[in-house]
Amino acid sequence: MKPVWQALAWTSGVLGAAITGAAVGVAAHSSRVAAQRKVDDPYADEPFGRLRPDRQSTVAADDGVPLSVQEIQPADGGEPELTVVLVHGFALDSRCWHFQRRDLPGLTDPKVRLVVFDQRSHGRSGHSSKRNSTIEQLGRDLDAVLRAMARKGPIALIGHSMGGMAIMALAEQRPALFRDRVRAVALISTSAGAVGASGLPRPWLSRANPVPRGLALLSDLQPDLVERTRKIGDRLTWNLVRNLSFGDREISPSVVDLMADMIGATTVEVVTDFLETINLHDRKTALAALRSCEVLVLSGDADRVTPFSPHAEVLAAELPNATLVRAEGAGHPVMLEQPELVTEQLSALLRRAVGEKTGEVTGS
């Protein structure tokens, strides 16, 4: 039976790759692969996953699921002008924002306070029921985080992939919030809908597909067995993560390790629970609420999950005043692959947002 389970492990990896631009199939820290290239790794000593927040807390979602939240104050201890909320994508967690949470608190123009949280069923947050594993619920979760952690003052929302979809869901649910308090929105490697039409094959998103349906059934009946099969072939999966997630084949092995670790921590059950909601996501009309904000649309032109054309271009067409940035050669997790570019563009977005609020004229 071993070859069958090896095939299952590999197939579950491909399923995750199709959805997230990486391989969900193996929870693997591929130390021996990284060791082969460590001499060329610019981030060999980067403290991925070890940045300490100023405060850590738990916010209860409206259905009781605990959401793990971290807060980072301006590096110089001054008063922040803006609260910036970072919303990660599917099968990842808040660690994907490593470079931005490291660098954005050092801004002085404007000074910002960061709020970073793990979405339900991801990272350190609590597990969701299948019924509430929806983008609609993610929008409500984001609202709960804002009500608890950003009760007053201007806000900037930054979302990657499914995190961007959660921001769109919140805009659909509470458009007045975007008019009154949200000054800036960044939509990174995300889509307003029709995810399966380009890049991500629609059949993978349907529960009618026998592979995800079979994995869902197995994860219900034999969760330990399914997760054990994901441990097979760590070298293969590390390479899948590198090749399917990133555009740059010389990407830092430590960054690939981080990506593989986040994906490996996402169970097959969580993967299958979110399939249908990704398939049904369609929020072009919700984008109208963002027209009162400064908006950045940023995506890599080597993104296999939400390709720049059409997804970023559709967002920009719906938001004609948005700044559209094409990250040359970058894949889906562009904030890890080209962190300098992403942080630079986010900094410019935040400066524009504060300038818009005060009536100042700022360069970008």
Side-chain angles (χ1 to χ4, degrees), residues 157-159 168 184-192 287 290 293-300 306-327 334 341-342 345-346 349 352:
L157 301 176
I158 300 172
M168 295 176 217
V185 174
L187 301 173
I188 300 174
S189 303
T190 191
S191 171
L287 297 175
L290 276 59
C293 311
E294 288 289 333
V295 179
L296 168 68
V297 177
L298 188 152
S299 182
T306 53
F308 187 91
S309 178
H311 295 289
E313 292 175 344
V314 167
L315 287 168
E318 295 291 326
L319 297 163
N321 294 323
T323 298
L324 177 62
V325 176
R326 183 181 193 127
V334 61
L341 171 67
V342 172
Q345 290 295 329
L346 290 176
L349 172 73
R352 292 195 299 272

Side-chain angles (χ1 to χ4, degrees), residues 156-171:
L157 301 176
I158 300 172
H160 171 254
S161 193
M162 195 170 73
M165 298 176 190
I167 292 172
M168 295 176 217
L170 178 62

Side-chain angles (χ1 to χ4, degrees), residues 268-336:
V268 171
E269 180 185 9
V270 172
V271 171
T272 57
D273 282 352
F274 278 90
L275 289 178
E276 195 67 19
T277 194
I278 295 172
N279 180 26
L280 297 175
H281 171 64
D282 182 2
R283 289 183 171 80
K284 274 190 185 180
T285 58
L287 297 175
L290 276 59
R291 291 175 182 164
S292 60
C293 311
E294 288 289 333
V295 179
L296 168 68
V297 177
L298 188 152
S299 182
D301 62 11
D303 187 340
R304 295 172 175 82
V305 182
T306 53
F308 187 91
S309 178
H311 295 289
E313 292 175 344
V314 167
L315 287 168
E318 295 291 326
L319 297 163
N321 294 323
T323 298
L324 177 62
V325 176
R326 183 181 193 127
E328 185 176 354
H332 194 57
V334 61
M335 65 285 190
L336 286 171

Side-chain angles (χ1 to χ4, degrees), residues 46 57 271:
E46 188 70 24
S57 56
V271 171

Side-chain angles (χ1 to χ4, degrees), residues 31-341:
S31 57
R32 66 176 183 271
V33 178
Q36 296 171 1
R37 294 173 56 198
K38 192 170 184 178
V39 67
D40 300 321
D41 188 351
Y43 297 121
D45 298 320
E46 188 70 24
F48 291 118
R50 301 195 301 275
L51 296 178
R52 293 184 176 275
D54 292 306
R55 185 163 72 101
Q56 188 160 337
S57 56
T58 301
V59 171
D62 58 8
D63 63 350
V65 170
L67 304 173
S68 178
V69 184
Q70 297 183 8
E71 179 182 351
I72 303 97
Q73 296 290 344
D76 67 358
E79 190 69 21
E81 299 172 69
L82 201 63
T83 294
V84 179
V85 184
L86 302 173
V87 193
H88 71 78
F90 177 57
L92 303 180
D93 59 49
S94 57
R95 289 176 292 170
C96 73
W97 298 112
H98 172 86
F99 294 106
Q100 289 69 46
R101 66 169 289 176
R102 183 194 70 180
D103 296 337
L104 288 177
L107 291 179
T108 57
D109 178 24
K111 293 183 180 181
V112 300
R113 164 181 173 261
L114 297 188
V115 172
V116 188
F117 72 102
D118 291 330
Q119 301 220 57
R120 60 178 51 226
S121 299
H122 294 73
R124 295 182 178 182
S125 289
H127 188 74
S128 174
S129 66
K130 291 182 180 180
R131 178 180 179 181
N132 287 346
S133 296
T134 66
I135 292 170
E136 290 85 355
Q137 182 63 54
L138 297 183
R140 292 192 288 271
D141 291 352
L142 177 54
D143 189 33
V145 170
L146 293 177
R147 284 186 278 111
M149 304 299 297
R151 296 178 183 177
K152 60 182 181 179
I155 301 166
L157 301 176
I158 300 172
H160 171 254
S161 193
M162 195 170 73
M165 298 176 190
I167 292 172
M168 295 176 217
L170 178 62
E172 186 175 62
Q173 296 157 7
R174 294 194 60 196
L177 178 69
F178 288 76
R179 183 187 65 238
D180 298 339
R181 293 189 58 204
V182 178
R183 304 288 188 231
V185 174
L187 301 173
I188 300 174
S189 303
T190 191
S191 171
V195 179
S198 177
L200 180 57
R202 182 172 295 277
W204 283 107
L205 295 175
S206 173
R207 288 189 182 273
N209 185 316
V211 174
R213 186 174 56 184
L215 288 171
L217 178 62
L218 282 170
S219 67
D220 285 342
L221 297 177
Q222 297 286 343
D224 293 338
L225 180 59
V226 169
E227 293 307 317
R228 283 200 301 272
T229 66
R230 301 171 72 207
K231 309 295 181 179
I232 300 170
D234 62 341
R235 176 73 175 264
L236 168 65
T237 300
W238 191 90
N239 283 317
L240 282 171
V241 170
R242 182 189 62 187
N243 295 335
L244 295 173
S245 295
F246 302 101
D248 181 5
R249 292 298 172 264
E250 300 303 316
I251 186 71
S252 156
S254 296
V255 170
V256 180
D257 282 343
L258 174 63
M259 191 76 175
D261 189 57
M262 290 187 289
I263 293 165
T266 309
T267 67
V268 171
E269 180 185 9
V270 172
V271 171
T272 57
D273 282 352
F274 278 90
L275 289 178
E276 195 67 19
T277 194
I278 295 172
N279 180 26
L280 297 175
H281 171 64
D282 182 2
R283 289 183 171 80
K284 274 190 185 180
T285 58
L287 297 175
L290 276 59
R291 291 175 182 164
S292 60
C293 311
E294 288 289 333
V295 179
L296 168 68
V297 177
L298 188 152
S299 182
D301 62 11
D303 187 340
R304 295 172 175 82
V305 182
T306 53
F308 187 91
S309 178
H311 295 289
E313 292 175 344
V314 167
L315 287 168
E318 295 291 326
L319 297 163
N321 294 323
T323 298
L324 177 62
V325 176
R326 183 181 193 127
E328 185 176 354
H332 194 57
V334 61
M335 65 285 190
L336 286 171
E337 188 169 5
Q338 295 188 12
E340 295 86 359
L341 171 67

